[in-house]
Amino acid sequence: MPNIELMERTLPVAPLKLAVMENCKELGQKVNDYIVSFRQNTINHFVDSPLYLNYQTDSYLVNCSCPRFGSGEGKGVFKESIRGTDVFIMTDVCNYSLTYTVNGHLNHMSPDDHFQDLKRIISASTGKTHRINVIMPFLYESRQHKRNKRESLDCALALKELTAMGVSNIITFDAHDPRVQNAIPLKGFDTFAPAYQFMKALFRAVPDLKADKEHLMIISPDEGAMHRAVYFSNVLGVDMGMFYKRRDYSTIINGKNPIVAHEFLGDDVTGKDVIIVDDMISSGESMLDVAKQLKERHAGRVFVCTTFGLFTDGFDKFDDFYERGYLTKVITTNLNYLPPEAKEKPYFLTADMSKFLALIVDSLNHDTSISKVLDPTQKIHSLLEKYNTQK
């Protein structure tokens, strides 16, 4: 395990507590279980010291909730002491499965509702904890990160609001534009990429995948995902291509200019397996069009790797494209809510991020360097070497 030697030589900044919101209970439990395992297998000869009080325990989860009144108003509540602790608050703002009632009417929770509950829990902890950290895998309002004409700057405002309430560190994944951290330059902001977890899941599910220039190519579905595709192609040693979106700027539909066509820039994909990398699947329209165009250019198998699978329009189109051979596998992480039906799809794979997230939390609690955690290059190279020797 990386960082284990550093952790054995350092003390935690304070006793660790995980405040897991209702919207990410499953992921939070997995993260807790990994941290329990990490600490039960290390530093056994120091645990009797009072400096390591509460270091090893059966659970780091703290009992908290956000109950609602009949009017729909809510409050944040901690049901046990958190005084002097290093609290990590975990939330999934995209979990639409949770509901509450407003004057007898059923409401599904929106990202705004989840963000408000996060602030309630922060408010309940402020002034008591040693430090407050927020783990928000899908960064709230991250797609509204810049201003075009007369628009709100929602993501920057949200970050400023959290830090004004006492949050020291914000941990997120694959931020739509990491430069949004410029809104809070004096506070901690880390965005992690699941590149290693993608490759691990893909190699495990597709044992005959050949990671070389003759058989594999990385594709960016648009100009915004170029940096991800460039990284993947360099670390795997394969070629890359990209699509750019030709839009109708005279029309606005659902708040954005509609895509007229996807134009391709890159080498011939004939016969090659292709991996499309992006930060999210929302409705999936753009991703599916890219997959179709690649198959029409005689590509081999098409694999899609995205950090967040939102599937806002459901799975019908994905099912259709899979049956028609346009898609082979769709890989997303478990960092956001996925409906149970997703896991039943023959093309769907989940890249488990819980161990990675547990390592991040444990490293930050010890105030040790997370440089090795941030950079997955060495781990991917080791994975490739192991994969190639087994073939």
Side-chain angles (χ1 to χ4, degrees), residues 88-99:
F88 288 79
I89 306 173
M90 291 181 60
T91 185
D92 173 14
V93 298
C94 292
N95 190 337
Y96 59 86
S97 69
L98 300 183
T99 60

Side-chain angles (χ1 to χ4, degrees), residues 1-115:
M1 180 180 119
N3 279 12
I4 191 65
E5 293 180 1
L6 282 172
M7 292 183 196
E8 288 183 336
R9 296 197 298 266
T10 58
L11 287 166
V13 296
L16 173 64
K17 286 294 182 182
L18 296 175
V20 179
M21 306 291 284
E22 184 66 28
N23 52 36
C24 58
K25 285 290 186 184
E26 183 179 351
L27 178 62
Q29 184 64 57
K30 287 184 176 181
V31 171
N32 172 72
D33 292 345
Y34 272 117
I35 296 176
V36 170
S37 176
F38 292 164
R39 296 192 173 186
Q40 283 179 348
N41 295 311
T42 60
I43 325 184
N44 292 315
H45 49 293
F46 289 131
V47 292
D48 292 334
S49 167
L51 293 173
Y52 284 89
L53 182 66
N54 299 323
Y55 184 77
Q56 291 183 343
T57 181
D58 292 334
S59 177
Y60 298 94
L61 298 173
V62 64
N63 192 356
C64 63
S65 64
C66 288
R68 296 266 175 176
F69 300 103
S71 61
E73 298 166 295
K75 62 179 177 180
V77 180
F78 278 97
K79 300 177 183 178
E80 59 185 272
S81 175
I82 53 168
R83 190 170 297 280
T85 59
D86 191 19
V87 173
F88 288 79
I89 306 173
M90 291 181 60
T91 185
D92 173 14
V93 298
C94 292
N95 190 337
Y96 59 86
S97 69
L98 300 183
T99 60
Y100 64 97
T101 57
V102 179
N103 292 79
H105 299 281
L106 190 67
N107 270 13
H108 282 265
M109 292 190 70
S110 70
D112 292 344
D113 291 318
H114 290 303
F115 186 69

Side-chain angles (χ1 to χ4, degrees), residues 264-309:
F264 183 66
L265 299 173
D267 292 336
D268 186 17
V269 298
T270 301
K272 292 184 179 181
D273 291 333
V274 294
I275 301 175
I276 307 172
V277 293
D278 207 355
D279 60 336
M280 73 178 73
I281 291 175
S282 184
S283 66
E285 290 279 356
S286 178
M287 188 69 73
L288 292 172
D289 187 51
V290 166
K292 181 180 178 182
Q293 289 205 39
L294 287 168
K295 291 298 289 185
E296 289 174 348
R297 285 177 166 81
H298 310 293
R301 294 172 295 186
V302 177
F303 305 104
V304 174
C305 293
T306 63
T307 307
F308 304 105

Side-chain angles (χ1 to χ4, degrees), residues 90-352:
M90 291 181 60
T91 185
D92 173 14
V93 298
C94 292
N95 190 337
Y96 59 86
S97 69
L98 300 183
T99 60
Y100 64 97
T101 57
V102 179
N103 292 79
H105 299 281
L106 190 67
N107 270 13
H108 282 265
M109 292 190 70
S110 70
D112 292 344
D113 291 318
H114 290 303
F115 186 69
Q116 196 66 27
D117 277 354
L118 170 64
K119 292 192 293 182
R120 291 181 174 116
I121 289 296
I122 294 171
S123 176
S125 63
T126 302
K128 305 171 184 66
T129 61
H130 175 79
R131 185 173 65 176
I132 302 173
N133 312 272
V134 169
I135 301 172
M136 190 187 301
F138 186 96
L139 187 62
Y140 174 71
E141 289 289 357
S142 57
R143 285 187 285 182
Q144 189 52 35
H145 59 95
K146 62 182 179 181
R147 175 174 283 154
N148 293 314
K149 301 181 181 177
R150 293 174 294 278
E151 294 181 344
S152 56
L153 289 169
D154 296 56
C155 190
L157 284 172
L159 293 176
K160 290 179 74 68
E161 193 170 6
L162 292 180
T163 55
M165 294 182 72
V167 174
S168 299
N169 296 303
I170 295 172
I171 300 105
T172 189
F173 283 81
D174 221 341
H176 198 65
D177 187 344
R179 291 174 295 183
V180 75
Q181 67 185 288
N182 293 336
I184 49 168
L186 301 181
K187 296 295 182 179
F189 181 99
D190 290 300
T191 177
F192 297 87
Y196 169 70
Q197 286 75 15
F198 282 153
M199 297 314 302
K200 186 176 180 181
L202 190 56
F203 284 147
R204 185 175 295 172
V206 189
D208 62 338
L209 183 68
K210 296 180 180 179
D212 56 48
K213 283 189 176 183
E214 289 73 33
H215 300 93
L216 185 66
M217 194 166 174
I218 307 298
I219 302 295
S220 171
D222 55 41
E223 59 276 18
M226 273 291 291
H227 66 283
R228 300 180 187 89
V230 168
Y231 175 79
F232 268 95
S233 64
N234 283 325
V235 78
L236 294 176
V238 300
D239 293 328
M240 67 156 288
M242 72 160 286
F243 285 84
Y244 68 91
K245 298 171 181 175
R246 192 149 50 87
R247 295 181 180 271
D248 179 4
Y249 286 99
S250 65
T251 307
I252 297 178
I253 299 175
N254 294 328
K256 57 186 179 182
N257 303 109
I259 299 169
V260 176
H262 285 93
E263 305 291 352
F264 183 66
L265 299 173
D267 292 336
D268 186 17
V269 298
T270 301
K272 292 184 179 181
D273 291 333
V274 294
I275 301 175
I276 307 172
V277 293
D278 207 355
D279 60 336
M280 73 178 73
I281 291 175
S282 184
S283 66
E285 290 279 356
S286 178
M287 188 69 73
L288 292 172
D289 187 51
V290 166
K292 181 180 178 182
Q293 289 205 39
L294 287 168
K295 291 298 289 185
E296 289 174 348
R297 285 177 166 81
H298 310 293
R301 294 172 295 186
V302 177
F303 305 104
V304 174
C305 293
T306 63
T307 307
F308 304 105
L310 304 182
F311 302 105
T312 56
D313 287 353
F315 294 93
D316 290 344
K317 290 181 180 178
F318 285 87
D319 293 343
D320 179 50
F321 271 54
Y322 172 71
E323 290 170 3
R324 292 162 65 181
Y326 293 141
L327 283 175
T328 303
K329 294 291 182 184
V330 176
I331 305 172
T332 72
T333 70
N334 59 340
L335 292 171
N336 67 284
Y337 170 77
L338 291 166
E341 64 178 304
K343 300 167 186 177
E344 299 172 0
K345 304 296 181 182
Y347 53 83
F348 188 81
L349 294 175
T350 302
D352 187 11

